[in-house]
C-alpha cells in the first residue's frame, strides 16, 4: 500500500514537534511556569485566574452588575444604558480583561503568536457550553481594521477571533460586511465621548444586500467603552440589519483599570 509523500512529511513533522515539546516544554505565557499539557499556552492556575463573566450583568451592554445593591432582575439595564442607550441590542464578553486574559490577547495581537488561537478555542468552548443558545440564527462578522493597521500588523485579529466564534457557535461567518474607511487616532486615553467622536464615520458597508434583514453578531477583541462596536452597529442597522449583538473576548470594567 503506497503512502503519499505529504502524509509521510506530516507524520515526521508531528513526531519532531512532540520531541521538541518534550525537550523544550512550553512555559506559561502569563506566569512562565511549566505547563503539563502539550500545545497549551496557559498553566492550570492561570486558566483558573480568568474571570468568566456571568449573570448578573446589564441586559444591553453586558457590564457586570454592582452587587452592592439588591440582586437585579434578568433584564435590568445599567445607568449608562438607561441614560444613553447603545445602537447594538446586546453585548456580551467572555471575561474580565484585567486578568490573564489580557496577557493571552496581547501575545496573539501584538506578538503575533498564532499558536495562542487553540487556547482561545478552549476558552470559547467553555464559555459557550454555558451559553448554548447565544445568537442562534445570526451571522458572525468581525469589526474590521483600517488597511493601514492591517498593513502594519500583518493580520486582522478580529477576523481570526470571529472565525473561532463562528466555529464554536456553528454559525456562518461573513468577513466583508463592513470596511473601515477612516484611520482613527489611538483611543487609549480618550473618554467615552471623545472615543465616540473619534470613531464617527469610520465604517461603511461593502454589500448592503448581504446585510438587509439579517441578525448580525459583531466580534472584536476588547470592549472598553463600546464606542467602536456602537458605531459599527449603527452603520449595520442603517443598512437594514435586524438585531445586532456584540461579542468580545475581554471586557474592561471602568474603575478596574482600562488596559488598552
Amino acid at each position: 500500500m503506497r503512502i503519499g509523500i505529504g502524509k509521510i512529511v506530516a507524520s515526521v513533522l508531528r513526531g519532531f514537534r512532540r520531541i521538541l515539546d518534550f525537550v523544550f516544554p512550553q512555559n506559561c505565557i502569563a506566569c512562565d511556569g511549566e505547563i503539563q499539557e502539550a500545545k497549551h499556552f496557559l498553566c492550570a492556575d492561570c486558566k483558573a485566574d480568568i474571570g468568566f463573566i456571568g449573570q448578573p450583568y446589564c441586559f444591553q451592554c453586558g457590564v457586570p452588575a454592582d452587587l452592592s445593591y439588591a440582586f437585579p432582575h434578568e433584564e435590568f439595564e445599567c445607568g449608562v444604558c438607561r441614560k444613553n442607550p447603545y445602537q447594538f441590542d446586546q453585548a456580551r464578553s467572555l471575561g474580565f480583561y484585567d486578568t490573564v486574559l489580557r496577557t493571552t490577547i496581547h501575545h496573539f495581537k501584538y506578538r503575533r503568536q498564532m499558536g495562542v488561537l487553540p487556547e482561545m478555542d478552549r476558552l470559547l468552548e467553555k464559555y459557550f457550553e454555558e451559553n448554548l443558545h447565544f445568537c442562534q440564527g445570526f451571522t458572525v462578522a468581525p469589526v474590521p481594521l483600517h488597511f493601514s493597521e492591517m498593513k502594519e500588523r500583518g493580520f486582522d485579529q478580529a477576523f481570526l477571533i470571529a472565525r473561532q466564534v463562528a466555529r464554536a457557535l456553528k454559525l456562518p461567518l461573513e468577513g466583508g460586511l463592513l470596511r473601515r474607511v477612516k484611520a482613527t487616532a489611538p483611543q487609549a486615553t480618550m473618554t467615552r465621548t471623545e472615543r465616540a467622536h473619534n470613531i464617527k464615520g469610520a465604517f461603511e458597508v461593502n454589500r448592503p444586500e448581504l446585510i438587509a434583514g439579517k441578525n448580525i453578531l459583531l466580534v472584536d477583541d476588547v470592549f472598553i467603552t463600546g464606542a467602536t462596536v456602537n458605531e459599527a452597529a449603527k452603520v449595520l442597522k442603517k443598512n437594514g440589519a435586524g438585531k445586532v449583538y456584540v461579542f468580545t473576548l475581554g471586557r474592561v470594567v471602568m474603575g478596574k483599570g482600562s488596559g488598552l
Side-chain angles (χ1 to χ4, degrees):
M1 182 177 180
R2 298 181 63 184
I3 301 176
I5 187 67
K7 290 184 178 179
I8 295 175
V9 172
S11 178
V12 171
L13 289 175
R14 283 196 296 270
F16 183 62
R17 178 56 190 264
R18 283 194 289 268
I19 293 172
L20 286 178
D21 288 340
F22 178 77
V23 179
F24 304 105
Q26 167 71 43
N27 286 348
C28 176
I29 60 175
C31 72
D32 203 36
E34 185 177 338
I35 297 177
Q36 301 299 324
E37 302 163 295
K39 298 182 181 179
H40 284 236
F41 281 74
L42 293 173
C43 67
D45 289 341
C46 286
K47 286 179 185 177
D49 187 51
I50 294 176
F52 284 83
I53 296 177
Q55 291 185 349
Y57 43 62
C58 173
F59 183 74
Q60 184 180 22
C61 78
V63 67
D66 182 355
L67 296 183
S68 62
Y69 56 85
F71 285 98
H73 59 83
E74 186 176 337
E75 297 189 6
F76 98 104
E77 291 184 340
C78 68
V80 172
C81 289
R82 288 196 300 269
K83 184 178 179 181
N84 189 19
Y86 289 100
Q87 295 292 318
F88 55 78
D89 296 279
Q90 289 185 32
R92 300 291 182 263
S93 299
L94 183 146
F96 293 97
Y97 179 67
D98 196 21
T99 64
V100 173
L101 195 55
R102 175 179 179 175
T103 304
T104 307
I105 292 172
H106 275 222
H107 272 260
F108 162 60
K109 185 175 179 180
Y110 299 117
R111 299 190 184 184
R112 303 181 183 182
Q113 291 192 2
M114 298 302 162
V116 178
L117 281 173
E119 198 72 75
M120 291 185 178
D121 270 341
R122 288 183 279 270
L123 296 175
L124 289 169
E125 286 172 7
K126 181 178 179 181
Y127 178 85
F128 289 125
E129 279 177 3
E130 300 178 4
N131 297 272
L132 290 174
H133 303 297
F134 182 68
C135 289
Q136 291 306 303
F138 279 58
T139 295
V140 179
V143 175
L145 287 176
H146 189 264
F147 76 90
S148 60
E149 292 179 286
M150 184 77 165
K151 183 178 179 181
E152 179 182 352
R153 190 167 296 164
F155 68 100
D156 186 340
Q157 80 278 355
F159 173 80
L160 295 178
I161 297 169
R163 187 177 64 184
Q164 308 297 89
V165 169
R167 187 179 301 160
L169 289 171
K170 297 179 173 58
L171 295 177
L173 172 67
E174 287 285 355
L177 293 185
L178 289 171
R179 63 178 177 271
R180 199 158 185 158
V181 295
K182 175 183 173 184
T184 53
Q187 302 189 134
T189 60
M190 293 183 184
T191 64
R192 184 186 182 195
T193 301
E194 290 169 340
R195 287 170 183 258
H197 179 75
N198 183 52
I199 202 70
K200 186 175 182 180
F203 301 106
E204 291 182 358
V205 300
N206 276 321
R207 297 177 63 184
E209 69 274 14
L210 295 180
I211 294 173
K214 282 189 177 179
N215 296 329
I216 309 294
L217 174 60
L218 276 173
V219 175
D220 208 354
D221 53 356
V222 182
F223 186 117
I224 301 180
T225 66
T228 300
V229 290
N230 191 59
E231 181 68 16
K234 182 174 73 174
V235 172
L236 288 171
K237 288 200 167 185
K238 186 178 179 181
N239 284 271
K243 293 181 179 179
V244 177
Y245 283 18
V246 172
F247 179 80
T248 63
L249 289 177
R251 175 67 187 246
V252 173
V253 179
M254 295 304 172
K256 285 182 172 286
S258 59
L260 289 177

